[in-house]
Amino acid sequence: MSNENKTIHEFELNLICDFFSTMERQGPGSPEVTLKALSFIDNLTEKSLIADIGCGTGGQTMVLARHAPGQITGLDFLPGFIHLFNRNARQLGLQDRVKGIVGSMDNLPFQAEELDLIWSEGAIYNIGFERGLNEWCKYLKPGGYIAVSESSWFTDERPAEINDFWMAAYTEIDTIPNQIAKIHKAGYLPVATFILPSTCWTEHYFAPAVTAREVLLNKHVGNKTAEELVAMSRHEEVLYSKYKEYYGYTFFIAKKIDL
Ligand code: SAH
């Protein structure tokens, strides 16, 4: 299909998919951090149902699947990511326990109180932290767990440049104590909270992005949208190295309150 036949939106989504598909993960994180978050969860058996929301190509899902029992459904709204997700699951021989489906996080295809664990790394911001926590809670069994990573402010005040960047990108970024309060208000007991080490950004996110940027520019020579995407990715990296003491990702593990 030529590009003229596609809407701009579709075309941009395809570029985003192209860019991130070459990376094992589509957000900051690492296998070690996924396992650390998993270590706080103690309710899983072979019968457990787990959802990984905004799973991308499944870097973290496959780590989870190799270390936790149960059936895992990965959900993402980009079909290209789900295609790669299912291919990754097959290549690792996990296809009987791990299935990727296309869907939207604001309309999840699960039954009330059927899930034992909701996982979501670097993705809940797409629906908003508070809204995601509130809406997803109903799908969890009482006593079920949620494990999400989300961007946080590490200080109460910060330089204008980084504040302005985040206010344009995601106004719901907040300080960790405020985020813990939101978790509690949404009906969960906070179980553990830890900040992702900066290597989750530098080694596992920005380093592979260098190659992904080159591949994208070579594939779409002269394409303005591709150039903008690459410029954004570079800008994100520059800002992080300049301001990493002010913000980063935090992992929150919490349990649905069961009275
Ligand atoms: N969890 C993965 C991907 C994080 S990037 C990782 O840590 O590597 C955020 C993901 O959310 C992307 O894969 C994007 O396609 C997906 N996403 C964005 N909006 C969504 C929505 N409304 N519903 C489902 N997935 C969504």
Side-chain angles (χ1 to χ4, degrees):
M1 206 202 274
S2 78
N3 291 332
E4 288 90 318
N5 292 334
K6 293 181 181 168
T7 63
I8 290 171
H9 184 61
E10 237 182 301
F11 186 60
E12 284 179 3
L13 285 182
N14 284 346
L15 276 178
I16 290 171
C17 199
D18 255 11
F19 177 65
F20 283 108
S21 293
T22 55
M23 293 165 63
E24 192 180 314
R25 311 186 48 105
Q26 289 76 48
S30 73
E32 293 75 25
V33 155
T34 297
L35 291 181
K36 182 169 173 179
L38 182 63
S39 74
F40 296 105
I41 291 161
D42 60 9
N43 66 335
L44 300 176
T45 69
E46 266 150 38
K47 294 206 175 92
S48 295
L49 296 183
I50 302 168
D52 183 357
I53 302 176
C55 58
T57 59
Q60 72 296 326
T61 329
M62 306 305 151
V63 174
L64 200 58
R66 288 209 299 260
H67 294 87
Q71 294 288 329
I72 308 183
T73 303
L75 179 138
D76 202 282
F77 81 154
L78 286 185
F81 283 172
I82 291 300
H83 175 75
L84 292 172
F85 178 105
N86 284 322
R87 194 178 73 185
N88 288 339
R90 277 195 304 278
Q91 280 170 353
L92 293 167
L94 293 166
Q95 68 278 10
D96 295 336
R97 292 180 44 227
V98 181
K99 296 237 179 326
I101 59 169
V102 177
S104 184
M105 59 174 75
D106 53 19
N107 184 21
L108 294 176
F110 304 113
Q111 307 290 317
E113 301 196 349
E114 84 167 327
L115 300 175
D116 296 275
L117 170 61
I118 291 179
W119 203 268
S120 185
E121 292 195 37
I124 195 171
Y125 73 89
N126 289 292
I127 186 172
F129 188 63
E130 241 179 325
R131 183 176 164 205
L133 289 169
N134 281 308
E135 289 189 12
W136 299 350
C137 192
K138 62 176 171 286
Y139 303 107
L140 277 179
K141 287 177 186 158
Y145 282 85
I146 188 162
V148 291
S149 65
E150 166 77 334
S151 41
S152 307
W153 290 128
F154 296 156
T155 56
D156 288 331
E157 312 227 329
R158 71 251 2 152
E161 186 183 21
I162 194 61
N163 197 63
D164 293 349
F165 170 80
W166 276 99
M167 287 309 107
Y170 181 52
T171 51
E172 232 190 297
I173 181 173
D174 209 340
T175 59
I176 295 170
N178 287 348
Q179 289 170 319
I180 292 174
K182 287 173 186 172
I183 290 172
H184 190 240
K185 196 169 150 222
Y188 310 86
L189 181 70
V191 169
T193 304
F194 64 90
I195 291 172
L196 274 64
S198 59
T199 49
C200 288
W201 294 75
T202 51
E203 278 173 35
H204 294 275
Y205 186 53
F206 293 136
V210 173
T211 319
R213 292 196 289 251
E214 272 171 36
V215 172
L216 191 81
L217 287 180
N218 288 335
K219 195 170 163 190
H220 302 275
V221 179
N223 179 291
K224 285 272 164 283
T225 316
E227 284 167 7
E228 277 167 28
L229 192 63
V230 164
M232 265 167 52
S233 166
R234 287 207 182 102
H235 185 53
E236 232 191 310
E237 184 173 351
V238 169
L239 284 180
Y240 183 74
S241 75
K242 204 167 160 190
Y243 295 116
K244 61 176 180 287
E245 70 210 85
Y246 296 100
Y247 73 99
Y249 259 84
T250 307
F251 227 122
F252 299 97
I253 298 92
K255 198 171 171 146
K256 181 170 174 174
I257 289 174
D258 178 17
L259 297 174

